[in-house]
Amino acid sequence: MDAVERTKPRSEPESPSAASRSDRQPYELWFAFAATLLPHVLGVLAGSYGRIVTVAPLAIGLAAVDFAGMAVAALQLREDRAAGRRTHWLVWATLIAGVAWAVYAAAILVIFVIVRVFCVNQTCRPPLG
């Protein structure tokens, strides 16, 4: 009989499991979460969202930061689904906070367009007399 020693093939170095990778989120996602919370924090500090929206450059800048934060969260969500792993709570929190501001900003934009296009306020109408 041959004395052939059978050995197990050497395994590859173990990579971190999907669960441990989803537990530690990259710093980009934390910055995205902070960016989507920024309009809400400023709304609390200013007294209301209405005061933020009346300063157009501030509102546009906050909307841009908010959309950037939501884009980062959406990319993370897409990556998690493609890899077949569970999505971290921070992704969902970022998307919810971002959508809340985006819906409010879109509603104000629609109201602004309706006022300008259909002339529903007194400043764009000619005098009645």
Side-chain angles (χ1 to χ4, degrees):
M1 280 196 144
D2 265 55
V4 176
E5 188 178 324
R6 295 186 183 241
T7 60
K8 291 182 182 177
R10 223 167 36 152
S11 63
E12 296 293 320
E14 290 186 19
S15 64
S17 68
S20 68
R21 274 184 284 171
S22 67
D23 289 343
R24 54 184 168 88
Q25 290 300 310
Y27 64 91
E28 292 94 352
L29 194 54
W30 283 103
F31 284 130
F33 182 62
T36 57
L37 284 182
L38 186 63
H40 305 293
V41 171
L42 287 177
V44 168
L45 294 176
S48 71
Y49 288 139
R51 292 186 181 175
I52 295 172
V53 173
T54 56
V55 182
L58 177 63
I60 291 169
L62 284 176
V65 168
D66 186 56
F67 285 128
M70 285 193 315
V72 169
L75 289 172
Q76 181 66 42
L77 179 65
R78 185 178 73 172
E79 182 181 323
D80 288 344
R81 289 199 175 165
R85 63 181 175 250
R86 220 177 94 203
T87 303
H88 195 270
W89 67 269
L90 192 56
V91 173
W92 296 113
T94 303
L95 289 173
I96 290 168
V99 166
W101 172 255
V103 166
Y104 180 78
I108 295 300
L109 180 64
V110 167
I111 291 169
F112 178 76
V113 168
I114 288 173
V115 165
R116 294 292 180 191
V117 170
F118 297 115
C119 191
V120 293
N121 62 359
Q122 294 294 327
T123 60
C124 64
R125 293 185 193 159
L128 294 174

